[in-house]
Amino acid sequence: MTDIRDIEKAERIGRSRARMFVAQAVLFVAWQGFYFGAAAGDQVRTVDTVRIWTWLVWVVALLALLATGGGLMRSRSVRALLNDELTRANRAQAYVSGFWAAMVAAVGFYVIDLFDPIAAREAIHAIVSIAIASALITFALRERRNAGFG
């Protein structure tokens, strides 16, 4: 039997989760300008290494957030309420969106590389960033709509 407090907590977390995913998507996309705004060249400076590792850690955290819905620190009953059928459908649609965004970006970079070589690290960074941003935004918008935000 599910406690009413768990239901209320799950509803509150579900509403804030939609806002959190939107904020993470906006911050993640905005932060990409810092990465691509760095000095171009083959030599990786210490500051670039820190920037790359920061991006990698953020990517892993966002992937975990997408995979779990952000409820890892909650009780089992609250996690079950947060991971309802509608949320699983929203997550599946977010994965589809991320996949197609990655495919379009990869094909786009392939075509661009025919005329102007692109560094593999930059292309991978862009493809992964585009895919994650697309998935985050899709999940956030679907969750917001389901939470009654429009």
Side-chain angles (χ1 to χ4, degrees), residues 33-101:
F34 292 119
Y35 178 83
F36 290 108
D42 292 334
Q43 186 176 6
V44 177
R45 302 170 304 162
T46 303
V47 69
D48 296 329
T49 302
V50 171
R51 186 178 296 127
I52 290 166
W53 279 103
T54 303
W55 175 80
L56 284 170
V57 168
W58 200 356
V59 163
V60 169
L62 291 176
L63 289 172
L65 189 64
L66 277 168
T68 64
L72 284 179
M73 303 301 280
R74 307 296 174 189
S75 68
R76 180 175 289 172
S77 60
V78 172
R79 280 194 319 261
L81 290 167
L82 284 171
N83 197 28
D84 62 1
E85 187 175 329
L86 190 56
T87 297
R88 288 191 303 271
N90 290 342
R91 187 176 296 120
Q93 189 60 45
Y95 292 155
V96 169
S97 172
F99 170 81
W100 283 109

Side-chain angles (χ1 to χ4, degrees), residues 18 86 90 93 138-150:
L86 190 56
N90 290 342
Q93 189 60 45
T138 299
F139 185 74
L141 292 177
R142 292 176 69 92
E143 286 288 295
R144 282 180 57 86
R145 186 173 352 141
N146 297 334
F149 291 119

Side-chain angles (χ1 to χ4, degrees), residues 12-29 58 61-62 64-74 82 91 132-133 135-137 139-141 143-144 147 149:
R12 189 175 59 253
I13 293 168
R15 286 189 298 273
S16 67
R17 175 175 60 187
R19 289 188 298 271
M20 177 188 57
F21 271 79
V22 169
Q24 284 296 324
V26 168
L27 289 171
F28 186 68
V29 169
W58 200 356
L62 291 176
L65 189 64
L66 277 168
T68 64
L72 284 179
M73 303 301 280
R74 307 296 174 189
L82 284 171
R91 187 176 296 120
I132 290 175
L136 281 171
I137 290 167
F139 185 74
L141 292 177
E143 286 288 295
R144 282 180 57 86
F149 291 119

Side-chain angles (χ1 to χ4, degrees), residues 125-136:
H125 179 104
I127 292 167
V128 169
S129 296
I130 289 167
I132 290 175
S134 175
L136 281 171

